[in-house]
Amino acid sequence: AAGVIQSPRHLIKEKRETATLKCYPIPRHDTVYWYQQGPGQDPQFLISFYEKMQSDKGSIPDRFSAQQFSDYHSELNMSSLELGDSALYFCASSSQETGVGELFFGEGSRLTVL
Amino acid sequence: KNEVEQSPQNLTAQEGEFITINCSYSVGISALHWLQQHPGGGIVSLFMLSSGKKKHGRLIATINIQEKHSSLHITASHPRDSAVYICAVEAGGSQGNLIFGKGTKLSVKP
């Protein structure tokens, strides 16, 4: 069965550069969630989208933005990167239509800022 | 004090042992998730609970809403169960706006 696909899996950037992470949800899933997990830290919820509209916002820095496209994939854009942005970024997807509420996670994108 | 507390933080077991990981939370919740994270970092959702008990293979999850407590049990543990187990709750935000516990690192020795 198709799973949640994230790309790239690994990314190395310099300080002050920009980075874009992509998340492709499971087919027919309409909701995407983004999380950030710093080294040795608990994951933190960043932002979520339902039907291409932002549905909830967590601890996402102002330097970050995200959107969900018509094919339901989502992109997390990070600008003016700082060393502290180095983390594993997860996305998850679910289907509001089925109402089951189970989350399906991607493998994560590991961002290293040098 | 963290809103989601897990115990123990670290757990070492022998293959075949029965394992229990506990999660207590201090906020009202709409659902509780048990997640598994392997050393490579990928997260797998094991259970989503809002009441009662769920079973999947050797894994059992229970929740007591009145006591704000959940447990994850692993029967007949196996070295491949070695991972970090994370409890996370949906607490007033939208589905997926999770508050995560710090995880329990389980190591099962052959």
Side-chain angles (χ1 to χ4, degrees):
Chain A
V4 176
I5 305 296
Q6 290 190 244
S7 70
R9 293 293 310 280
H10 300 274
L11 188 60
I12 298 175
K13 289 286 185 179
E14 300 276 340
K15 278 196 305 185
R16 292 179 289 277
E17 285 190 321
T18 61
T20 297
L21 306 181
K22 297 182 180 182
C23 172
Y24 296 87
I26 288 174
R28 291 182 295 282
H29 277 194
D30 48 25
T31 308
V32 171
Y33 314 85
W34 285 98
Y35 306 91
Q36 177 193 56
Q37 185 177 28
Q41 304 288 316
D42 325 328
Q44 298 287 322
F45 169 75
L46 293 179
I47 195 167
S48 61
F49 292 88
Y50 166 65
E51 284 290 345
K52 294 153 279 183
M53 300 289 289
Q54 181 182 306
S55 56
D56 202 354
K57 190 173 180 179
S59 50
I60 185 168
D62 292 340
R63 298 176 290 108
F64 292 10
S65 64
Q67 58 181 322
Q68 186 180 32
F69 294 85
S70 56
D71 64 351
Y72 295 106
H73 94 274
S74 179
E75 295 184 4
L76 178 65
N77 299 294
M78 299 173 281
S79 62
S80 302
L81 287 170
E82 301 173 356
L83 296 178
D85 296 328
S86 294
L88 188 59
Y89 291 84
F90 289 102
C91 80
S93 73
S94 68
S95 170
Q96 301 298 328
E97 186 179 321
T98 62
V100 173
E102 187 177 0
L103 301 176
F104 294 82
F105 288 82
E107 290 289 315
S109 293
R110 188 172 295 279
L111 171 67
T112 302
V113 181
L114 301 176
Chain B
K1 188 178 187 301
N2 293 327
E3 292 167 301
V4 180
E5 298 271 3
Q6 285 187 235
S7 63
Q9 277 188 289
N10 293 282
L11 181 57
T12 300
Q14 288 299 127
E15 184 172 356
E17 284 185 0
F18 180 83
I19 287 162
T20 296
I21 298 170
N22 295 300
C23 175
S24 296
Y25 52 92
S26 57
V27 294
I29 69 168
S30 52
L32 180 144
H33 297 254
W34 280 104
L35 310 172
Q36 181 191 56
Q37 185 171 33
H38 281 278
I43 289 180
V44 174
S45 175
L46 299 175
F47 295 103
M48 187 188 77
L49 295 162
S50 53
S51 64
K53 176 180 176 178
K54 286 188 176 180
K55 184 177 189 292
H56 185 254
R58 296 180 294 106
L59 302 179
I60 302 166
T62 63
I63 188 168
N64 185 317
I65 296 294
Q66 286 74 29
E67 295 185 4
K68 294 188 175 179
H69 181 270
S70 176
S71 294
L72 175 68
H73 305 285
I74 305 175
T75 61
S77 60
H78 189 276
R80 66 174 174 266
D81 297 326
S82 298
V84 175
Y85 292 83
I86 302 171
C87 170
V89 302
E90 295 178 18
S94 65
Q95 177 192 42
N97 184 342
L98 301 176
I99 303 171
F100 293 82
K102 294 199 174 297
T104 294
K105 186 174 182 180
L106 171 66
S107 177
V108 182
K109 306 294 186 188

